[in-house]
PDB file of all heavy atoms in Angstrom:
ATOM      1  N   GLY A  57     -15.668   8.379  -3.286  1.00 73.00           N
ATOM      2  CA  GLY A  57     -14.396   7.783  -2.906  1.00 73.00           C
ATOM      3  C   GLY A  57     -13.797   8.337  -1.634  1.00 73.00           C
ATOM      4  O   GLY A  57     -12.887   7.734  -1.070  1.00 73.00           O
ATOM      5  N   PHE A 100       3.913   9.057  -9.627  1.00 53.00           N
ATOM      6  CA  PHE A 100       3.736  10.503  -9.678  1.00 53.00           C
ATOM      7  C   PHE A 100       4.978  11.159  -9.104  1.00 53.00           C
ATOM      8  O   PHE A 100       5.570  10.671  -8.147  1.00 53.00           O
ATOM      9  CB  PHE A 100       2.511  10.955  -8.879  1.00 53.00           C
ATOM     10  CG  PHE A 100       1.207  10.633  -9.563  1.00 53.00           C
ATOM     11  CD1 PHE A 100       0.610   9.402  -9.392  1.00 53.00           C
ATOM     12  CD2 PHE A 100       0.594  11.563 -10.393  1.00 53.00           C
ATOM     13  CE1 PHE A 100      -0.587   9.095 -10.024  1.00 53.00           C
ATOM     14  CE2 PHE A 100      -0.602  11.259 -11.028  1.00 53.00           C
ATOM     15  CZ  PHE A 100      -1.188  10.027 -10.847  1.00 53.00           C
ATOM     16  N   GLU A 147       9.430   5.671  -5.125  1.00 89.00           N
ATOM     17  CA  GLU A 147       9.923   4.319  -5.363  1.00 89.00           C
ATOM     18  C   GLU A 147      11.439   4.286  -5.289  1.00 89.00           C
ATOM     19  O   GLU A 147      12.133   5.051  -5.968  1.00 89.00           O
ATOM     20  CB  GLU A 147       9.460   3.818  -6.724  1.00 89.00           C
ATOM     21  CG  GLU A 147       9.928   2.396  -7.000  1.00 89.00           C
ATOM     22  CD  GLU A 147       9.404   1.841  -8.305  1.00 89.00           C
ATOM     23  OE1 GLU A 147       8.284   2.220  -8.703  1.00 89.00           O
ATOM     24  OE2 GLU A 147      10.120   1.022  -8.915  1.00 89.00           O
ATOM     25  N   SER A 170      10.803  -4.906  20.151  1.00 84.00           N
ATOM     26  CA  SER A 170      10.614  -5.071  21.583  1.00 84.00           C
ATOM     27  C   SER A 170      11.709  -4.329  22.342  1.00 84.00           C
ATOM     28  O   SER A 170      12.641  -3.777  21.752  1.00 84.00           O
ATOM     29  CB  SER A 170      10.624  -6.557  21.949  1.00 84.00           C
ATOM     30  OG  SER A 170      11.848  -7.152  21.548  1.00 84.00           O
ATOM     31  N   PRO A 183     -10.484  -4.606   8.264  1.00 76.00           N
ATOM     32  CA  PRO A 183     -11.878  -5.034   8.342  1.00 76.00           C
ATOM     33  C   PRO A 183     -12.091  -6.370   7.631  1.00 76.00           C
ATOM     34  O   PRO A 183     -11.653  -6.562   6.498  1.00 76.00           O
ATOM     35  CB  PRO A 183     -12.624  -3.896   7.631  1.00 76.00           C
ATOM     36  CG  PRO A 183     -11.757  -2.694   7.858  1.00 76.00           C
ATOM     37  CD  PRO A 183     -10.348  -3.211   7.811  1.00 76.00           C
ATOM     38  N   GLY A 190      -2.588  -7.943  15.561  1.00 89.00           N
ATOM     39  CA  GLY A 190      -1.582  -8.153  16.585  1.00 89.00           C
ATOM     40  C   GLY A 190      -0.863  -9.478  16.506  1.00 89.00           C
ATOM     41  O   GLY A 190       0.119  -9.697  17.233  1.00 89.00           O
TER      42      GLY A 190
END
Side-chain angles (χ1 to χ4, degrees):
F100 286 86
E147 181 176 328
S170 58

